């Protein structure tokens, strides 16, 4: 369903039409008709469109496209006749009720009145058709009216056949207006472009996240699967976007055509091709073609890729040539070019690089795409001289058909190649909407060469131009390499790259920044009164507080001496009997935590402390309270002033004046909250030309966030949390109230506070309880949708050319990759995004840019531990290492996989490291750090290799034949002293013999010996050995986690 159609189920279900879109598009239609009446619209006086009945088949009709484009829905069995002063609709009563709401909008937009003709349920509407044709003839000045229609659409059903007979039998002249509609639909508006972008994103995600992994798994496991089965599975993935982690509503998506899979020498590159029931063929020199098309809001997108298995030189050369030709065709999609230029650009590449392939090239480079999968009149063939315009969208599809290969196999001697992308023509050139699906040679060529008869091994080597570099699918001796081994190989390569990168950065002078502290005021800047005359007159010699001038006047030797309140360090009072003592301490040079170390007058005398006694305790307490309050206010103001002094000056917000199109999110809270003791208020978040503005009903509560200052933007809908939020992480600090911050968050609580009257526990089947839960779900969904709509609009605004360099887009945390940990003081759920690691619910917030991370060290990783810690080292070595503690060990593999996928180098250690001295050593002597191997000192596997012999003995553990004792004695001895012998690498049997009394183990040993003497020795040697290994592992586990910080013992490995 299109975006411009808003569905509001009421009772049995009701629909509304977006009046704004209807008015805008109706005016575009009439203006286009008027401007191009003679050349595109056949000089028609009226245009008649008849939409056929609904069909289960996938089909693309101009009449249906017009319905959706103009009204938001397809109106089956409906006749629309457009005239200059009237628009006639012939339809059922239900449709007429909906169309009746458009009368005012149509009149205001183009000055045309909507005339409704309601067809009886079982009638053919012939008399109503006569009325419409009569109105057409009356409107025509010449009397011979010209009616435009879509000639290629044959009438379906009795109703439309009757209409066709009426048209042909009347005195009106018919003309084909297909070209007019093709031109009208060719240039898309912003709403249509958004729909195509969403469809393209879904298409790319299905191919990248579902089809390619499925093909790799099928080939790697050598399974048999038919093309039609792959087609069915892929279609299900498109219709359920959540399967490929795409958050689009399933009711808004559909397939453009059944997905196409072809292999085994049988290829059809025509748009109407289908998948047959043959099995997928993936032997050496085979080719697999995949083509997928999906729709969002009835707008189409398409992508096609070709995958090569153990490619021959001919196939490699053909693919590389086709890839260059496809890229040349895409580059030619520029506003102002003729459509024929696109095909000629592809042909030029083929003629230059491989002229022998020219006869195999497809006769077209693609077509326009939108509401129709193939928009007529927008073919990218050598004969089309129509001009390319900004806003057009094309399916650029190029292929080579039935090329001869150098093999004799019937299924590989001929092959075909196909590449297709959905491309938007933009102001400066083009934008490939399906770009996430790589078509680079290294990503589509696979190698499964078999050097041995039984063990497939992949050759990973640097290839020449004649041979395609491959994306290797690796297998071990057990036919499949484990994920851990693949990670280890990738991490080894990352370690090499990371050490080289760190060496280059340190050689260039390192990185770092200052402490960010503001300038503190010295004593020479503190002035209470500029001259003596400004000092207020005092009738009594008592302590006074001048709030206005921020001064404290003290009676000293009969005179009132003023002191600026900032010079006072602290004030205390003590009451004893009837006297009250006030002690005032001042800031003087040399004292700890003194802010003044820049005194010019070396001979000056400073007052450190002064004491007063008073017989008026009430006055004394008031004075002390006033001084403390004034000190607090001035300190707060000075702190805010110092923070503001370090702020970077922001550009001025350009406020949008068009309130009807303003992007607004109402009734949201802000974090950090504004200061003050008044009641907190919600506010509105508005998106303007160059920034966002949040404001409440209070004039002083306003925050502006410039787009240029946004480093990361996040949208986190409420799922298991109580809030839906938008979070902005900034490049430079801003002030929110009196707080300086780099993180600003806007949120809404999705749950209402509910208090049960009476306090009793209600049943889960209680109707009130069920209704309350349903209300909560509806509220959460509504809030999430409001936020999603705001995010979509802002994302569309950020896609404009002036924001391209800022790389702005809302990122959604990937909840399935999240894990629990303690980044600060409390446990939180930490979630990765595509660019960051975040925790946005609890304060203080955690936002770590992945691009700023040097390495990650996983600490306290060992056998038997329930949790571990993560230390994140930043590229700026002057920043403190970020620690995330107490991560459950069950998340270890998932975190490793995530780190490896994001190309972050990680290490593992058994103990926590003290990172400050480590980083200081690196900064002090970077050359020594580089010479010593960089970060490889963290490589636990390298240190483990030194004790390989010991580990090997552990792995092949067998009872010793050197001791004359029985098996039970050996086993019990191991129980007593195994850990110590493992840690110290020495025999400790002698120590264990020192005893003062019989332990439970000794008593058990005696009982075991007694059983043995009685003949209970039926266990085989192999069973006793297996039981001993089991005992060994059990006795070891508790010792490893007995206390934190223990020296790492050698880990046993069992195979």
């Amino acid at each position: 369903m299109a975006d411009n159609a808003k569905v509001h189920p009421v009772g049995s279900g009701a629909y509304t039409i977006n009046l704004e879109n209807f008015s805008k598009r109706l005016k575009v239609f009439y203006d286009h008709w008027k401007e191009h009446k003679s050349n595109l619209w056949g000089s028609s006086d009226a245009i008649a469109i008849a939409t056929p009945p609904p069909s289960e088949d996938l089909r693309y009709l101009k009449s249906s496209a017009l319905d959706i484009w103009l009204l938001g829905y397809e109106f089956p069995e409906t006749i629309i006749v457009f005239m200059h002063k009237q628009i006639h609709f012939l339809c059922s009563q239900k449709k007429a009720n909906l169309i009746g709401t458009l009368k005012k909008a149509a009149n205001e937009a183009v000055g045309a009145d909507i005339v409704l003709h309601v067809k009886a349920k079982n009638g053919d509407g012939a008399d109503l058709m006569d009325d419409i044709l009569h109105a057409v003839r009356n409107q025509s000045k010449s009397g011979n009216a010209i009616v435009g229609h879509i000639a290629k659409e044959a009438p379906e059903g009795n109703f439309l056949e009757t209409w066709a007979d009426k048209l042909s039998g009347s005195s009106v002249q018919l003309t084909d207006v297909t070209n007019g509609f093709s031109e009208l639909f060719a240039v898309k508006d912003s709403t249509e472009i958004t729909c195509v972008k969403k469809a393209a994103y879904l298409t790319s995600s299905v191919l990248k996240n579902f089809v390619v992994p499925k093909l790799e798994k099928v080939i790697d496991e050598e399974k048999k699967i038919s093309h039609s089965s792959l087609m069915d599975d892929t279609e299900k993935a498109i219709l359920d976007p959540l399967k490929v982690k795409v958050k689009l509503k399933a009711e808004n998506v559909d397939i453009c055509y059944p997905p196409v899979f072809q292999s085994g020498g049988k290829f059809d590159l025509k748009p109407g091709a289908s998948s047959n029931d043959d099995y997928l063929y993936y032997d050496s020199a085979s080719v697999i073609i995949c083509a997928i098309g999906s729709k969002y809001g009835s707008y189409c997108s398409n992508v096609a890729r070709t995958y090569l298995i153990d490619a021959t030189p001919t196939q490699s050369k053909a693919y590389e040539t086709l890839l260059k030709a496809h890229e040349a065709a895409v580059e030619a999609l520029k506003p102002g070019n003729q459509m024929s230029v696109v095909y000629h650009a592809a042909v030029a590449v083929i003629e230059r690089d491989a002229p022998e392939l020219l006869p195999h090239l497809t006769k077209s480079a693609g077509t326009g795409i939108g509401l129709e999968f193939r928009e007529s009149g927008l073919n990218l063939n050598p004969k089309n001289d129509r001009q390319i315009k900004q806003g057009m969208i094309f399916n650029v599809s190029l292929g080579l058909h039935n090329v001869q290969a150098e093999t004799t196999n019937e299924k590989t001697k001929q092959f075909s190649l196909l590449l297709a992308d959905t491309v938007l023509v933009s102001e400066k050139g083009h934008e490939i909407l399906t770009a996430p699906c790589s078509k680079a040679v290294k990503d589509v060529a696979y190698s499964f060469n078999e050097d041995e008869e039984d063990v497939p091994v992949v050759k990973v080597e640097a290839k020449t131009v004649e041979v395609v570099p491959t994306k290797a699918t690796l297998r071990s001796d057990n036919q499949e390499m484990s994920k851990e081994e693949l990670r280890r190989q990738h991490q080894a390569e990352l370690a090499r790259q990371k050490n080289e990168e760190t060496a280059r950065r340190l050689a260039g002078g390192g990185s770092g920044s200052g402490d960010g502290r503001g300038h503190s005021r010295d004593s020479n800047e503190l002035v209470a009164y500029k001259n003596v005359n400004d000092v207020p007159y005092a009738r009594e010699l008592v302590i006074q507080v001048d709030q206005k001038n921020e001064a404290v006047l003290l009676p000293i030797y009969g005179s009132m001496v003023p002191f600026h309140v900032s010079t006072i360090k602290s004030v205390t009072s003590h009451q004893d009997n009837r006297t009250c003592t006030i002690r005032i301490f001042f800031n003087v040079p040399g004292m700890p935590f003194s802010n003044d170390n820049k005194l010019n007058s070396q001979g000056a005398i400073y007052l450190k402390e002064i004491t007063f006694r008073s017989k008026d305790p009430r006055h004394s307490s008031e004075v002390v309270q006033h001084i403390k309050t004034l000190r607090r206010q001035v300190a707060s103001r000075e702190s805010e002033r110092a923070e503001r002094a370090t702020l970077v000056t922001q550009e001025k917000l350009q406020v949008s004046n068009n309130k009807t199109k303003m992007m607004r999110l109402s009734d949201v809270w802000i974090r950090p909250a504004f200061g003050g003791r008044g009641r907190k208020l919600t506010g509105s978040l508005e998106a303007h030309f160059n920034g966002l503005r949040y404001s409440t009903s209070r004039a002083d509560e306003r925050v502006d966030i410039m787009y240029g200052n946004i480093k990361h933007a996040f949208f986190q809908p409420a799922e298991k949390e109580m809030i839906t939020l938008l979070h902005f992480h900034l490049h430079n600090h801003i002030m929110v109230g009196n707080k300086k911050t780099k993180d600003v968050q806007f949120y809404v609580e999705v749950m209402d506070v509910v208090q049960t009257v009476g306090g009793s526990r209600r049943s889960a089947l209680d109707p009130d309880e069920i209704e309350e839960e349903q209300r909560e779900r509806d509220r959460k969904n509504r809030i999430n949708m409001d936020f999603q709509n705001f995010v979509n609009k802002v994302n569309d605004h950020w896609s404009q050319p002036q924001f391209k360099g800022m790389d702005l887009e809302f990122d959604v945390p990937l909840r399935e990759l999240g894990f629990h940990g303690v980044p600060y003081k409390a446990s939180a759920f930490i979630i990765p995004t595509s660019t960051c690691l975040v925790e946005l619910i609890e304060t203080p917030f955690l936002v770590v840019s992945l691009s700023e991370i040097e390495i990650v060290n996983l600490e306290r990783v060992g056998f038997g531990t329930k949790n571990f810690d993560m230390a994140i080292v930043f590229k700026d070595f002057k920043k403190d290492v970020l620690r995330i503690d107490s991560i459950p060990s069950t998340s270890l593999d998932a975190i490793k996989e995530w780190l490896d996928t994001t190309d972050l180098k990680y290490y593992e250690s058994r103990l926590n490291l003290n990172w400050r001295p480590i980083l200081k050593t690196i900064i002090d002597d970077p050359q020594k750090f580089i010479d010593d191997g960089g970060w490889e000192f963290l490589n636990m596997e390298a240190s483990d290799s030194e004790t390989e012999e010991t580990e090997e003995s552990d792995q092949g553990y067998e009872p010793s034949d050197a001791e004359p004792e029985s098996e039970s004695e050996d086993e019990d001895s191991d129980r007593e002293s195994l850990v110590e012998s493992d840690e110290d690498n020495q025999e400790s049997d002698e120590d264990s013999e020192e005893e003062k009394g019989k332990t439970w183990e000794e008593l058990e040993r005696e009982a075991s010996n007694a059983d043995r003497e009685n003949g209970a020795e039926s266990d085989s040697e192999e069973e006793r050995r297996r039981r001993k290994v089991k005992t060994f592992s059990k006795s070891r586990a508790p010792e490893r986690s007995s206390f934190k910080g223990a020296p790492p013992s050698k880990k046993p490995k069992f195979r």
Side-chain angles (χ1 to χ4, degrees):
M1 190 167 294
D3 265 8
N4 57 1
K6 297 178 181 176
V7 182
H8 303 286
V10 180
S12 61
Y15 301 92
T16 59
I17 296 175
N18 188 321
L19 296 180
E20 182 185 346
N21 264 355
F22 171 76
S23 300
K24 181 178 69 175
R25 292 182 179 176
L26 185 65
K27 189 174 188 316
V28 170
F29 171 37
Y30 268 73
D31 290 346
H32 194 274
W33 180 14
K34 184 178 180 181
E35 184 181 351
H36 303 282
K37 183 175 181 179
S38 58
N39 58 338
L40 292 176
W41 298 97
S43 301
S44 55
D45 300 310
I47 297 173
I49 302 298
T51 309
S55 171
E56 293 295 325
D57 298 330
L58 277 169
R59 59 182 183 176
Y60 296 95
L61 303 173
K62 281 280 189 294
S63 55
S64 300
L66 178 66
D67 288 348
I68 295 169
W69 182 77
L70 188 61
L71 305 171
Y73 310 99
E74 183 177 357
F75 279 67
E77 293 192 289
T78 300
I79 296 170
I80 311 175
V81 179
F82 297 93
M83 296 188 290
H84 295 298
K85 296 296 181 184
Q86 290 179 329
I87 304 174
H88 291 261
F89 285 85
L90 175 53
C91 56
S92 65
Q93 181 65 58
K94 187 176 181 181
K95 294 169 191 164
N97 293 339
L98 183 58
I99 295 168
T101 62
L102 306 175
K103 289 186 176 182
K104 183 180 178 183
N107 192 274
E108 291 176 352
V110 296
D113 295 325
I114 289 180
V115 181
L116 296 173
H117 305 270
V118 179
K119 181 177 75 74
K121 192 169 185 180
N122 298 319
D124 59 0
D127 53 339
L128 300 175
M129 295 175 189
D130 291 333
D131 293 341
I132 295 173
L133 291 173
H134 181 69
V136 172
R137 285 191 292 269
N138 287 344
Q139 179 196 255
S140 176
K141 296 177 182 178
S142 62
N144 186 17
I146 301 175
V147 176
H149 72 133
I150 302 170
K152 291 184 179 180
E153 291 189 9
E156 299 178 24
N158 294 333
F159 178 59
L160 264 64
E161 287 173 356
T162 304
W163 170 249
D165 293 340
K166 290 283 185 183
L167 270 182
S168 58
S170 65
S171 59
V172 299
Q173 180 182 342
L174 297 178
T175 183
D176 187 15
V177 292
T178 302
N179 289 338
F181 282 115
S182 296
E183 187 70 22
L184 179 65
F185 298 151
V187 177
K188 277 71 177 174
D189 60 28
S190 59
T191 305
E192 294 177 286
I193 290 172
T194 300
C195 286
V196 177
K197 283 184 175 180
K198 290 180 178 179
Y201 179 69
L202 174 60
T203 306
S204 305
S205 300
V206 170
L207 183 63
K208 185 179 178 182
N209 301 332
F210 179 79
V211 173
V212 172
K214 188 172 185 66
L215 288 177
E216 289 178 346
K217 185 177 180 182
V218 167
I219 297 171
D220 201 40
E221 297 177 0
E222 299 181 359
K223 291 182 177 179
K224 281 190 175 184
I225 187 169
S226 65
H227 298 139
S228 54
S229 296
L230 286 169
M231 176 193 73
D232 293 337
D233 293 343
T234 306
E235 183 175 331
K236 290 175 183 175
I238 294 173
L239 298 177
D240 186 4
L242 290 177
K243 280 187 177 180
V244 288
K245 301 175 184 177
V246 175
K247 295 184 178 180
L248 294 176
K249 287 188 175 180
E251 61 263 29
N252 290 342
V253 303
D254 200 356
I255 58 171
C256 291
Y257 55 87
V260 177
F261 292 88
Q262 300 178 9
S263 66
K266 298 178 182 178
F267 298 101
D268 183 3
L269 303 188
K270 294 177 183 177
S274 60
S275 303
N276 57 30
D277 293 327
D278 294 348
Y279 286 119
L280 184 72
Y281 187 78
Y282 46 83
D283 282 1
S284 183
S286 60
V287 170
I288 302 172
I289 291 179
C290 305
I292 301 171
S294 67
K295 293 194 285 189
Y296 179 85
S298 299
Y299 284 83
C300 302
S301 67
N302 186 54
V303 68
R305 293 291 182 264
T306 301
Y307 299 99
L308 309 175
I309 311 298
D310 292 333
T312 65
T314 302
Q315 291 172 337
S316 303
K317 182 180 179 182
Y319 185 85
E320 288 179 344
T321 306
L322 179 65
L323 179 59
K324 291 178 184 176
H326 190 268
E327 290 172 346
V330 172
E331 283 295 326
L333 279 175
K334 294 179 181 178
N337 282 355
Q338 289 184 347
M339 294 185 185
S340 58
V341 172
V342 178
Y343 187 76
H344 289 314
V347 170
V349 173
I350 302 289
E351 288 178 336
R352 183 192 68 206
D353 293 354
E356 69 276 8
L357 296 176
L358 197 56
H360 303 281
L361 186 66
T362 51
K363 304 305 178 186
S364 167
T367 61
I369 193 170
L371 285 167
E372 298 174 276
F373 182 67
R374 286 177 289 159
E375 293 185 331
S376 58
L378 300 183
N379 287 324
L380 300 175
N381 58 35
K383 298 179 181 179
N384 194 346
D385 58 357
R386 291 178 71 173
Q387 197 177 64
I388 298 172
K389 298 178 182 178
Q390 179 185 347
M392 288 183 172
I393 301 177
F394 291 92
N395 169 33
V396 182
S397 177
L398 211 61
L400 295 171
H401 189 50
N402 288 344
V403 183
Q404 295 296 321
E406 59 268 35
T407 66
T408 57
N409 188 334
E410 192 67 29
K411 292 193 174 185
T412 58
K413 67 180 183 180
Q414 277 192 343
F415 67 91
S416 297
L417 306 173
L418 181 65
L419 291 175
D421 277 302
T422 305
V423 183
L424 166 67
V425 180
S426 59
E427 183 181 1
K428 295 182 180 178
H430 63 271
E431 180 184 351
I432 303 175
L433 304 182
T434 48
C437 298
S438 174
K439 52 182 180 284
V441 178
K442 65 182 179 65
D443 293 321
V444 301
Y446 292 77
S447 178
F448 300 96
N449 294 322
E450 297 187 1
D451 288 9
E452 297 179 11
E453 199 170 304
D454 297 325
V455 184
V457 179
V458 174
K459 291 183 177 179
V460 182
E461 55 185 337
K463 310 251 179 171
T464 62
V465 176
E466 296 181 354
V467 183
V468 180
T470 63
K471 176 180 179 180
T473 302
L474 304 174
R475 301 180 186 179
S476 68
D477 292 341
N478 295 323
Q479 301 294 325
E480 184 175 353
M481 182 172 282
S482 69
K483 286 186 178 180
E484 187 63 35
E485 289 169 334
L486 288 172
R487 276 206 301 264
R488 192 177 294 114
Q489 289 185 1
H490 187 217
Q491 286 293 310
E493 176 61 21
L494 286 177
R496 183 187 63 78
Q497 295 175 5
K498 179 58 63 179
N499 284 331
E500 290 177 358
E501 176 196 329
T502 307
R504 286 194 300 270
R505 196 170 68 250
L506 292 175
S511 61
S513 57
D515 57 6
R517 295 176 185 172
H519 169 67
S520 59
R521 299 173 67 184
D522 59 37
S523 63
N524 297 328
E525 296 177 358
L526 300 175
V527 176
Y529 304 101
K530 292 183 179 179
N531 56 60
V532 178
N533 296 328
D534 293 338
V535 178
Y537 172 74
R539 295 181 180 179
E540 298 180 90
L541 293 176
V542 294
I543 300 174
Q544 296 183 13
V545 179
D546 188 350
Q547 299 275 357
K548 182 179 178 182
N549 293 292
E550 298 172 354
V552 179
L553 289 91
L554 303 178
I556 301 177
Y557 296 121
S559 299
M560 298 299 290
V561 182
F563 293 86
H564 194 280
V565 74
S566 295
T567 63
I568 296 176
K569 182 181 179 182
S570 63
V571 56
T572 61
S573 63
H574 176 69
Q575 191 170 351
D576 185 15
N577 294 330
R578 294 183 179 179
T579 26
C580 186
T581 304
I582 300 174
R583 297 181 68 186
I584 301 175
F585 298 89
F586 296 89
N587 290 312
V588 296
M591 288 185 64
F593 311 109
S594 172
N595 293 328
D596 198 347
N597 294 317
K598 301 178 181 179
L599 299 172
N600 298 324
S601 305
Q602 297 297 326
I605 298 174
Y606 296 92
L607 183 63
K608 182 178 179 181
E609 177 189 341
I610 189 168
T611 305
F612 294 91
R613 283 196 178 89
S614 171
K615 293 183 178 179
D616 187 353
R618 186 182 61 82
H619 177 261
S620 300
S621 61
E622 286 180 357
V623 164
V624 170
Q625 189 62 38
H626 287 162
I627 294 175
K628 288 182 176 179
T629 303
L630 184 59
R631 277 191 70 254
R632 190 163 50 246
Q633 292 173 352
V634 172
S636 174
R637 191 195 66 219
E638 289 299 312
S639 174
E640 182 180 341
R641 187 192 68 84
E643 288 183 342
R644 288 186 183 276
T646 62
L647 296 178
V648 175
T649 304
Q650 304 287 334
E651 59 182 313
K652 189 176 181 182
L653 184 72
Q654 299 176 22
V655 179
S656 173
N657 295 322
N658 191 348
K659 294 194 175 181
T660 58
K661 294 186 178 180
M662 185 180 292
M663 296 167 278
R664 183 195 299 258
L665 203 57
S666 303
D667 297 326
V668 296
W669 301 93
I670 186 173
R671 289 198 289 186
F674 291 106
R677 299 184 179 181
R679 187 171 65 89
K680 300 295 186 292
L681 300 176
T682 60
S684 296
L685 179 65
E686 300 170 349
H688 296 279
F689 288 116
N690 64 335
L692 298 153
R693 168 167 287 178
Y694 175 81
S695 57
T696 70
S697 57
R698 296 190 181 115
D700 58 336
E701 293 185 349
R702 175 182 291 177
V703 177
D704 291 343
I705 302 174
M706 299 299 107
Y707 296 147
N709 193 27
I710 296 176
K711 187 174 183 180
H712 299 293
F714 305 100
F715 164 50
Q716 184 169 324
E719 290 188 17
K720 296 181 180 179
E721 299 84 12
M722 298 288 288
I723 62 174
T724 296
L725 62 89
L726 299 180
H727 188 97
F728 298 96
H729 184 66
L730 310 178
H731 289 286
N732 302 305
H733 290 86
I734 63 170
M735 297 298 294
V736 177
N738 58 356
K739 302 181 185 75
K740 180 180 174 183
T741 182
K742 267 191 178 182
D743 289 280
V744 185
Q745 185 177 110
F746 306 98
Y747 69 96
V748 171
E749 295 177 352
V750 297
M751 295 293 184
D752 288 325
V753 178
V754 179
Q755 184 174 2
T756 305
V757 178
S760 59
R761 187 176 179 180
R762 290 188 287 181
S763 168
L765 301 177
D766 185 353
D768 292 338
E769 184 79 11
I770 295 172
E771 184 180 352
E772 186 179 300
E773 289 177 1
Q774 183 60 43
R775 277 199 307 269
E776 289 177 353
R777 279 194 296 271
D778 293 344
R779 173 179 165 83
K780 181 170 73 171
N781 293 336
R782 178 174 54 79
I783 291 172
N784 285 346
M785 186 54 64
D786 289 344
F787 272 70
Q788 182 69 65
N789 292 337
F790 180 81
V791 166
N792 291 342
K793 290 177 183 177
V794 175
N795 273 336
D796 291 342
H797 183 61
W798 284 346
S799 64
Q800 296 179 14
Q802 63 264 37
F803 302 117
K804 277 194 174 179
M806 298 181 186
D807 193 23
L808 293 173
E809 187 177 5
F810 278 97
D811 208 350
V812 179
L814 305 172
R815 192 178 300 273
E816 60 273 11
L817 300 179
F819 56 91
H820 290 276
V822 183
Y824 298 110
K825 292 183 179 179
S827 179
F829 189 60
I830 301 161
I831 313 176
T833 73
S834 59
T835 57
C836 296
L837 184 66
V838 301
E839 191 286 305
L840 306 175
I841 304 297
E842 305 294 336
T843 54
F845 305 119
L846 174 70
V847 179
V848 181
S849 299
L850 301 185
S851 60
E852 297 176 359
I853 295 177
E854 174 77 2
I855 59 148
V856 175
N857 194 43
L858 306 177
E859 302 178 348
R860 293 196 302 115
V861 176
F863 179 73
T865 55
K866 291 184 179 179
N867 47 48
F868 66 97
D869 306 328
M870 177 190 293
I872 298 176
V873 181
F874 296 98
K875 292 179 179 177
D876 181 359
F877 291 158
K878 293 184 179 179
K879 287 179 68 173
D880 285 340
V881 169
L882 174 68
R883 297 191 57 81
I884 301 176
D885 297 327
S886 302
I887 304 172
S889 295
T890 52
S891 302
L892 181 60
D893 282 340
I895 290 175
K896 285 183 184 178
E897 185 68 25
W898 167 67
L899 291 171
D900 190 64
T901 305
T902 52
D903 289 341
L904 284 174
K905 175 59 187 168
Y906 67 85
Y907 293 93
E908 298 178 47
S909 62
R910 294 188 179 94
L911 296 176
N912 292 119
L913 300 180
N914 189 357
W915 281 100
R916 284 193 177 179
I918 293 174
L919 296 181
K920 187 176 185 302
T921 303
I922 295 173
I923 295 171
D924 292 344
D925 193 353
Q927 189 57 45
K928 186 176 185 303
F929 169 71
I930 295 167
D931 294 341
D932 290 344
W935 295 109
E936 284 306 293
F937 72 91
L938 295 171
N939 194 343
M940 190 168 67
E941 291 180 3
S943 61
D944 284 349
S945 64
E946 297 173 4
T947 58
E948 188 175 351
E949 292 181 3
T950 308
E951 291 186 350
E952 288 296 328
S953 66
D954 287 341
Q955 293 164 9
Y957 177 80
E958 289 185 1
S960 172
D961 294 328
E963 294 287 320
E965 285 100 8
S966 66
E967 292 292 330
S968 291
E969 291 172 339
D970 288 337
E971 180 178 340
D972 294 328
S973 174
D974 282 332
R975 287 182 183 173
E976 292 175 4
S977 59
L978 179 61
V979 174
E980 295 165 273
S981 65
D982 202 20
E983 290 176 352
D984 301 334
N985 221 2
Q986 296 176 353
E987 293 290 329
S988 59
D989 291 339
E990 295 177 2
D991 295 336
S992 65
E993 290 173 359
E994 295 177 10
E995 57 181 0
K996 294 183 179 180
K998 291 184 179 181
T999 63
W1000 284 107
E1001 286 81 0
E1002 290 167 335
L1003 292 171
E1004 187 178 349
R1005 187 194 310 170
E1006 291 179 0
S1008 178
N1009 289 336
D1011 290 342
R1012 199 175 298 278
E1013 289 172 2
N1014 292 332
E1017 296 183 9
S1018 60
D1019 290 350
S1020 67
E1021 179 72 11
E1022 183 63 26
E1023 288 173 342
R1024 285 198 300 273
R1025 183 182 302 172
R1026 190 161 55 246
R1027 190 165 58 247
K1028 188 165 187 177
V1029 171
K1030 186 176 179 182
T1031 306
F1032 172 81
S1033 64
K1034 283 185 178 179
S1035 66
R1036 184 160 184 81
E1039 195 66 32
R1040 287 189 55 80
S1041 58
S1042 57
F1043 62 95
K1044 186 175 179 180
S1049 54
K1050 297 178 177 58
K1051 182 167 63 177
K1053 298 180 181 178
F1054 301 104
R1055 291 182 180 174

